[in-house]
Amino acid sequence: MTEKFEWDLEVDVAVLGSGGAALTAAISAHDFGAKDVVILEKSGMAGGTTAMSGGMLWIPNNHYQREAGIEESDDDIVAYLEALAPDGLDPETLGAFMESGPEMIRYFTDKTPVRFHAYADFPDYQPYLPGAKADGGRSLDNEAFSFELLGKWASRVNPSKMAYPLRGSLMEAINGTLDEASLAEREKHDYRGLGQALVGSLLRAVLDRNIPIEFEKRARKLVKDGERVIGVIAGDANGRDFRVRARRGVVIATGGFEWNEALVKTFLRGPLTGPVSVPENEGDGLLMAIEAGAQLGNMQNAFWQQSVLEFKPQHRNAKPNYMLGSDERARPGAILVNRAGKRFMNEAANYNAMGKALHAFDAGRHTYANLPYWLIIDQHYKDKYPTFTSPPGSPIPPYMMQAATLEELAAKAGIDGEGLKATVARFNAMVRKGHDDDFNRGGNTYDNFYMWGDPAFEPPYRTLGVIGQAPYYAVKMESGALGTCGGPKTNGDAQVLDWSGNPIPGLYAAGNAMAAVLGEAYGGAGGTLGPGMTFGYIAGRHLGTHMPNH
């Protein structure tokens, strides 16, 4: 830095990004003593991918869980996470998550409009592993939040991935506990659930503290004085530099790198063809951290998700829009097949684990065995269940293929016809017998959780159903992701580490921009947001309570 370096803005803390981790960092930095905080947001909208998500948080041993009478132990938490990520956990950051996660939930409940409740029967994603909560308790659902309380800022929140606003919490929606009068009242006051509720209530807390958000400010370079990060240079909408001095430090919370093709091909373990996050997640924070000398971790992994290409651009920049593919594959009467027409895993398994199955490599053919892959359903399914953006009984959407027979459908899709016909026949026989001998679909509490399958049936038929009513339908699926989960490694105070394991003074990271605290583990609903917001809270708390040495 030269003596003539001029700043456009000087603050205590600069937070890069405006998703759940970023907003949490800004609020906690302010509350713990850094009164001068600014948020720099790349786009013209707030909320990042958090606003588009289900908004749940996976936080073991939170006070809502305890108040619901659900017991917890540290030994169980560690056993479960170690089973999910063998040799992949750092004791310091894991300990910080376990200690500060419940503290963060309590703090935000007491000090902000953010409100949760325990989704008591939402099972952990691998309920059969040691230490898992097979009957739920670790995942928190958001209370619905009125966007009237945001005033003009309501239009600044990224829209949901859902086709219509959910006026209640996820639990209310699934259980059908809102009557028509309550729903009408919620609509009148623009109540929203899921990630919309989480971002809305966090944004209200930011506004209450007069923390400014600088929109259309794309952070692109960290400024260092010696070893210390003292600020950041962002580019505005007109390409001009916007230089921010951050006396205490900078928090990188810019999301992952899933929309940066070069970074994806360089780092990830296998193809990622359909990200479902906001398209601003191009690895800006990762590139800045690398230039600043940050040690990297967990770069090969992502929070995997199945998706489908919808033939229209996203709202800002004409990038393709990918729809979530969690529900359709788990309902009765649906299977996933590869180009050989064969099933390759339990279709009701959690989306992150399924993503890894898509990267199975066939050395004999030198190709990915399960890419591409397709959802297969019949007319009965299409008449009964929604399929992505297509309501039951509606006309065929552009992303769906139809044929009178399985052989014709296979020919249209590029699937082996005999293989598909044999697979459907075998699957139907197993359904009638009541057990999936190939992949044990419907054999645990997660598979039969009524959010994914059909609650009108008893297990295992909440997820198992025959495919037999012509015509038949196929949808080409993508290897997608909620976001990547590799980036700069941190210590238990969310400080970014260099390659010698020492903190880079003034530099912090949180959310999908950092090396995931839980490695490749995805514990349950909210497995990204829980750790992400926890480390946003830790970063803000440390920045608020620690003055720089120079």
Side-chain angles (χ1 to χ4, degrees):
M1 187 187 76
T2 67
E3 293 182 1
K4 295 182 179 180
F5 197 94
E6 296 181 359
W7 302 102
D8 297 294
L9 179 66
E10 295 199 33
V11 295
D12 286 333
V13 175
V15 178
L16 313 183
S18 68
L23 297 176
T24 302
I27 293 164
S28 58
H30 173 278
D31 287 9
F32 281 97
K35 299 303 180 185
D36 205 0
V37 180
V38 69
I39 296 169
L40 303 184
E41 166 53 44
K42 178 179 181 177
S43 75
M45 305 286 281
T49 303
T50 304
M52 305 166 68
S53 74
M56 297 186 75
L57 274 66
W58 192 79
I59 303 284
N61 204 27
N62 64 79
H63 71 276
Y64 292 100
Q65 176 185 352
R66 295 193 302 271
E67 289 168 2
I70 301 170
E71 296 182 358
E72 187 62 278
S73 78
D74 287 350
D75 288 344
D76 281 347
I77 299 167
V78 172
Y80 179 54
L81 292 173
E82 286 185 341
L84 289 172
D87 301 319
L89 303 176
D90 171 61
E92 182 181 351
T93 51
L94 175 60
F97 169 63
M98 290 172 59
E99 179 180 350
S100 295
E103 178 186 321
M104 180 270 293
I105 295 298
R106 173 66 76 179
Y107 186 87
F108 274 74
T109 299
D110 292 343
K111 303 294 185 180
T112 76
V114 177
R115 294 292 180 272
F116 300 104
H117 54 258
Y119 204 145
D121 56 352
F122 204 127
D124 282 345
Y125 278 3
Q126 285 83 18
Y128 42 83
L129 291 180
K133 288 291 183 189
D135 297 316
R138 291 169 174 161
S139 292
L140 296 173
D141 185 19
N142 292 273
E143 298 287 350
F145 179 79
S146 171
F147 268 50
E148 277 190 353
L149 299 175
L150 294 177
K152 65 180 182 180
W153 285 86
S155 63
R156 284 283 200 176
V157 176
N158 270 327
S160 170
K161 276 281 187 179
M162 297 189 67
Y164 54 89
L166 196 65
R167 298 303 183 185
S169 68
L170 182 63
M171 193 162 67
E172 287 174 327
I174 291 175
N175 294 338
T177 54
L178 289 176
D179 57 29
E180 290 187 8
S182 299
L183 279 172
E185 185 68 13
R186 295 271 182 99
E187 288 192 21
K188 178 181 177 182
H189 297 288
D190 197 11
Y191 274 82
R192 305 184 195 179
L194 309 182
Q196 294 282 290
L198 180 57
V199 167
S201 54
L202 286 170
L203 181 57
R204 184 64 263 171
V206 164
L207 299 174
D208 290 342
R209 289 158 174 78
N210 296 313
I211 299 172
I213 302 179
E214 292 281 350
F215 289 105
E216 306 288 352
K217 299 293 190 297
R218 180 177 186 171
R220 58 181 180 82
K221 184 178 179 60
L222 297 169
V223 180
K224 298 179 77 174
D225 185 2
E227 295 302 312
R228 171 171 287 279
V229 171
I230 62 168
V232 61
I233 301 175
D236 67 15
N238 298 312
R240 296 186 296 257
D241 283 351
F242 183 74
R243 302 174 177 185
V244 180
R245 170 78 186 272
R247 291 180 289 265
R248 298 196 184 194
V250 174
V251 182
I252 295 175
T254 52
F257 58 86
E258 59 274 10
W259 285 92
N260 185 317
E261 185 177 356
L263 292 176
V264 165
K265 289 182 176 179
T266 299
F267 290 114
L268 291 186
R269 57 177 284 162
L272 194 170
T273 60
V276 298
S277 59
V278 290
E280 289 82 19
N281 290 355
E282 297 173 297
D284 297 351
L286 172 63
L287 294 173
M288 286 186 286
I290 291 173
E291 187 177 5
Q295 182 182 167
L296 304 181
N298 206 43
M299 295 301 297
Q300 73 275 26
N301 292 314
F303 297 118
W304 303 107
Q305 171 66 272
Q306 295 68 61
S307 63
V308 171
L309 176 62
E310 187 178 22
F311 295 93
K312 65 179 182 181
Q314 292 202 108
H315 55 282
R316 285 186 295 281
N317 54 14
K319 286 191 176 181
N321 182 38
Y322 294 96
M323 301 174 289
L324 292 167
S326 297
D327 299 0
E328 286 77 9
R329 57 181 169 76
R331 296 192 187 111
I335 57 172
L336 295 175
V337 300
N338 57 23
R339 67 169 70 85
K342 295 181 179 181
R343 294 174 67 217
F344 52 92
M345 72 167 300
N346 171 5
E347 292 89 349
N350 81 82
Y351 39 85
N352 185 56
M354 180 174 285
K356 298 173 185 179
L358 296 176
H359 296 150
F361 196 76
D362 185 338
R365 294 179 172 84
H366 203 76
T367 186
Y368 289 97
N370 301 323
L371 289 173
Y373 70 114
W374 292 263
L375 174 78
I376 305 295
I377 60 174
D378 67 0
Q379 188 63 45
H380 174 75
Y381 183 107
K382 190 175 184 305
D383 288 341
K384 186 173 185 179
Y385 302 117
T387 312
F388 308 107
T389 58
S390 177
S394 63
I396 303 170
Y399 50 79
M400 185 178 288
M401 293 171 272
Q402 177 188 19
T405 68
L406 289 170
E407 293 89 340
E408 290 178 24
L409 185 67
K412 282 188 175 182
I415 302 170
D416 181 89
E418 290 300 318
L420 179 61
K421 185 178 178 181
T423 293
V424 170
R426 176 171 173 78
F427 180 73
N428 287 345
M430 292 188 296
V431 170
R432 294 186 179 101
K433 187 175 67 172
H435 187 265
D436 176 8
D437 295 338
D438 293 337
F439 300 107
N440 196 34
R441 177 173 167 183
N444 61 70
T445 57
Y446 179 83
D447 289 8
N448 290 295
F449 185 51
Y450 45 80
M451 177 177 173
W452 312 118
D454 189 334
F457 300 105
E458 292 299 316
Y461 294 106
R462 283 182 175 173
T463 185
L464 292 180
V466 298
I467 302 170
Q469 183 179 336
Y472 301 94
Y473 301 89
V475 178
K476 184 178 180 294
M477 304 285 288
E478 303 290 336
S479 174
L482 301 171
T484 54
C485 54
K489 293 193 71 172
T490 71
N491 61 15
D493 291 319
Q495 294 174 292
V496 173
L497 302 176
D498 64 20
W499 284 101
S500 296
N502 300 313
I504 298 174
L507 187 59
Y508 298 74
N512 288 2
M514 67 179 281
V517 180
L518 304 184
E520 63 179 308
Y522 200 116
T528 58
L529 277 172
M533 285 181 59
T534 296
F535 269 72
Y537 173 76
I538 291 171
R541 183 182 63 192
H542 196 267
L543 280 160
T545 54
H546 289 75
M547 293 294 291
N549 295 326
H550 61 282

